[in-house]
Amino acid sequence: MGLGKPVRRVLLSVVGGALVVVGVVLLVLPGPGLLLVLAGLLVLASEFPALQRFVDPVRTRAMKAAEESVSSPLRIAGSVLAGLALLAAGIVWGTVRSLPLSGWSTGTSLILSSLILFALLIWSYRRVRAKRGTSGEHGGKA
């Protein structure tokens, strides 16, 4: 059982690193990619305490970005269109062999990115809607 802790550390490092990388890639899209960066950072900070100092600033920015990503119907539509474009690109890259880096490994990663984008978008929308409902109950602006 001596391999347990090193294996766990490597596994969490790979998962956390992958979340951060995918999150950074999603930052160029209109969706809430910073939330994925935060998730990766939280995973990494659980094994590397020195990274904990970056969690709160990233959390603050991620929550603000999540709220902004669903602040208007136009932004929501842009996020949905970006997700659909990623999904379509994944299908195309998986089926059209003449494209560079074609194949299902590339196609699957694009499809997975679209699913992550949709999941984060839904989470952000629900969070903002719940926050508005709570502030509306206390007499604040909705």
Side-chain angles (χ1 to χ4, degrees):
M1 286 291 154
L3 289 177
K5 188 166 181 141
V7 170
R8 179 181 183 271
R9 187 176 186 111
V10 168
L11 183 63
L12 288 176
S13 296
V14 169
V15 169
L19 287 170
V20 169
V21 168
V22 172
V24 168
V25 169
L26 288 176
L27 286 175
V28 299
L29 299 172
L34 202 51
L35 289 171
L36 210 51
V37 172
L38 175 62
L41 191 56
L42 287 168
V43 170
L44 290 171
S46 72
E47 286 300 310
F48 303 100
L51 295 175
Q52 189 64 41
R53 65 186 173 149
F54 298 110
V55 170
D56 284 337
V58 172
R59 178 181 285 128
T60 301
R61 286 188 168 176
M63 293 306 132
K64 185 176 182 198
E67 290 177 13
E68 288 174 0
S69 71
V70 293
S71 64
S72 73
L74 186 58
R75 285 187 180 220
I76 293 170
S79 295
V80 169
L81 288 175
L84 291 173
L86 278 171
L87 183 65
I91 293 168
V92 168
W93 251 268
T95 57
V96 178
R97 299 287 173 216
S98 61
L99 293 171
L101 302 171
S102 66
W104 281 111
S105 58
T106 304
T108 302
S109 66
L110 289 167
I111 291 169
L112 182 60
S113 296
S114 74
L115 295 176
I116 291 169
L117 174 65
F118 288 135
L120 292 174
L121 185 64
I122 290 167
W123 180 85
S124 299
Y125 181 77
R126 286 183 173 175
R127 183 177 188 276
V128 167
R129 200 169 102 202
K131 188 176 177 182
R132 287 180 182 162
T134 303
S135 65
E137 292 173 7
H138 298 298
K141 282 190 167 184

